[in-house]
Amino acid sequence: MAAIAADITLQRQDELLYLLHQDCGSCHGMTLKGGLGPPLLPQVLQDKPVELLSATILFGRPSTPMPPWSFMLNADEATWLAKHLKGQAHD
Amino acid sequence: MIKFLSLIVVAVFSLSLPAAEPRGTGDMGIIIERANGSVLIIETTHNSQLYRVEGLGDLSHASAVFSRDERHAYVFGRDGGLSKIDLLSGTLLKRVMQAGNSIGGAISQDGKIIAVSNYEPGGVKLFDSTSLELLSDIPAHYAESKQSKTVGLVDAPNQHFVFSLFEGNQIWLLDAHNPKQPKIQKFADIGLQPYDALISSNGRFYIAGLFGEEGLALLDLWQLDKGVQRILPHYGKDDPKKPVYKMPHLEGWALTDDYALFPAVGRNDVLVADRRTWQLVKKIPVYGQPVFVMSRPDGRQVWVNFAMPNNDTVQIIDTLKLAVMTTKKIGKGVLHMEFTPRGEAVWLSVRDEDKVQIYGTEDGQLRGELPAHKPSGIFFAARAHQSGL
């Protein structure tokens, strides 16, 4: 975990969080409490493995409005976001 | 005598205070600051900010309607908050938490009822526009123990509201003559996943955009017995849908004398339909996936903004040529546009640059700029007198 966080610069982490709240937030809510898309709060995601969340971020979910974000995120960044969503510390 | 004189002095002095000068609100409007739970009250005659009103909760997806006297704005917040603002004094008069998660609202033809469209719990609630007291709760049940998010809520003539069920694939027509016991007429199987809707400015055609399949669902409120028709059913048949990074909005009514213009879902096109036959006339290729396709009030231009990563640009469509005439780089995160009532200017919110820009529509030149914190929706009070807004 520490290694992943170390690979993502602080500036990039800020960008990822901005993307999460502003753009993911257009469907999931800026505070991630849900909207047209489901809520992304830690208690909702606790049973979902990081790998599943990361794959959903990268590849989307067919037949739902969730699009793939691989055009602007790499696997490490998606994993970082998935852990962040689950409330796992990056330290 | 001294007392009398001083009274006169006080009276003259207070008359000369600018704050005491009566004014109308017809050139006023609000700008949502989505990250801070605040709104700016602005005026479009001198392009200035008058007030900032705070304490409106989560406004990350917020919209507003106006009282028929244009004095009050009703703001619908993402967190289910319904707030009533006094434009003249710049104060928050009342705020009720009416649901867990909300998407928008409408005001009735007579101005007495506010309707709110909710995601969680899915349904619509009606409120008294003066007191914000709850009048009725209409859960959007569409199957055994299933409740749908509601979208595309608009007012319609004869004290009606219309909305769509995102999971339920239905359109409901609500007769609110008796707002405590509204009557509901349901139209089922209108198409998969209606995501938003609009109503024509004369209140006749309600059109819901579909996310789960191609096409749109049209209900002619003058001929309800015809039911819901599917229009533009195959608009993308030679062009597979791409992932959608921002849901398009259907708002206002981009229409010319002959045509109606809509955003295509998941494609870099604006769709043009014949207003009489609803047949697809043309697909206008545009810069990205369109989010808002909005007509200048006279219908001569249509302005289009785009989903990320193309949300730094707007394009202007010439509605005689049905082609893009201008492409403008505005700045990062252009989220919304609003025309002044007679269309000489348009205001654009530029979220990532924390500002609102004002362009003249005749020459396309920048007329002014106002700072705003993460601005999103811009709503002018003149909406008070337009059905469906």
Side-chain angles (χ1 to χ4, degrees), chain A residues 9-79:
Chain A
T9 64
L10 282 175
Q11 186 197 339
R12 184 61 180 156
Q13 292 180 25
D14 283 345
E15 288 169 7
L16 292 175
L17 292 178
Y18 189 85
L19 175 84
L20 176 66
H21 291 282
Q22 301 298 329
D23 293 300
C24 306
S26 71
C27 280
H28 296 284
M30 194 177 61
T31 55
L32 308 178
K33 286 193 285 196
L36 201 61
L40 301 178
L41 299 171
Q43 58 269 33
V44 180
L45 300 178
Q46 63 184 9
D47 297 334
K48 309 238 191 295
V50 166
E51 294 72 23
L52 174 78
L53 297 177
S54 164
T56 303
I57 293 167
L58 286 175
F59 307 115
R61 287 185 67 193
S63 81
T64 77
M66 178 66 186
W69 293 86
S70 50
F71 80 100
M72 62 182 301
L73 299 176
N74 65 34
D76 287 347
E77 291 168 340
T79 302

Side-chain angles (χ1 to χ4, degrees), chain B residues 284-286 296 299-304 314-328 360-364:
Chain B
I284 303 175
V286 289
R296 199 173 73 172
R300 185 65 185 88
Q301 300 175 355
V302 166
W303 288 53
V304 185
V314 301
Q315 286 186 312
I316 306 166
I317 292 172
D318 179 320
T319 56
L320 270 186
K321 295 180 180 149
L322 294 180
V324 171
M325 58 184 242
T326 310
T327 300
K328 293 183 91 65
T361 58
E362 188 182 344
D363 58 8

Side-chain angles (χ1 to χ4, degrees), chain B residues 66-215:
Chain B
F66 293 88
S67 60
R68 63 198 268 123
D69 61 4
E70 296 191 5
R71 168 130 190 206
H72 300 117
Y74 299 89
V75 180
F76 310 98
R78 164 67 86 193
D79 57 5
L82 165 60
S83 304
K84 183 176 179 179
I85 291 172
D86 181 356
L87 295 181
L88 283 180
S89 64
T91 51
L92 175 59
L93 296 177
K94 191 151 191 178
R95 173 170 153 78
V96 295
M97 292 302 291
Q98 56 83 39
N101 200 316
S102 156
I103 185 64
I107 187 163
S108 61
Q109 185 177 34
D110 69 358
K112 291 180 177 160
I113 307 167
I114 301 292
V116 192
S117 172
N118 292 320
Y119 281 169
E120 184 55 47
V124 167
K125 286 183 178 173
L126 303 185
F127 296 87
D128 181 294
S129 64
T130 304
S131 65
L132 300 192
E133 174 199 346
L134 180 69
L135 299 172
S136 56
D137 181 2
I138 303 120
H141 292 297
Y142 65 98
E144 187 93 23
S145 74
K146 285 191 172 172
Q147 202 166 332
S148 179
K149 300 185 186 83
T150 56
V151 299
L153 169 66
V154 297
D155 66 288
N158 305 323
Q159 204 66 358
H160 283 59
F161 292 103
V162 197
F163 58 95
S164 300
L165 279 60
F166 178 69
E167 294 92 349
N169 307 326
Q170 297 185 9
I171 292 174
W172 289 12
L173 177 64
L174 201 73
D175 175 343
H177 281 100
N178 179 355
K180 294 194 169 172
Q181 285 178 305
K183 292 181 200 142
I184 305 165
Q185 187 173 351
K186 301 176 184 177
F187 299 85
D189 301 321
I190 61 136
L192 295 177
Q193 294 175 315
Y195 65 88
D196 197 9
L198 55 72
I199 189 165
S200 58
S201 54
N202 64 356
R204 176 171 181 181
F205 297 108
Y206 178 82
I207 298 180
L210 302 174
F211 185 84
E213 61 185 284
E214 283 167 19

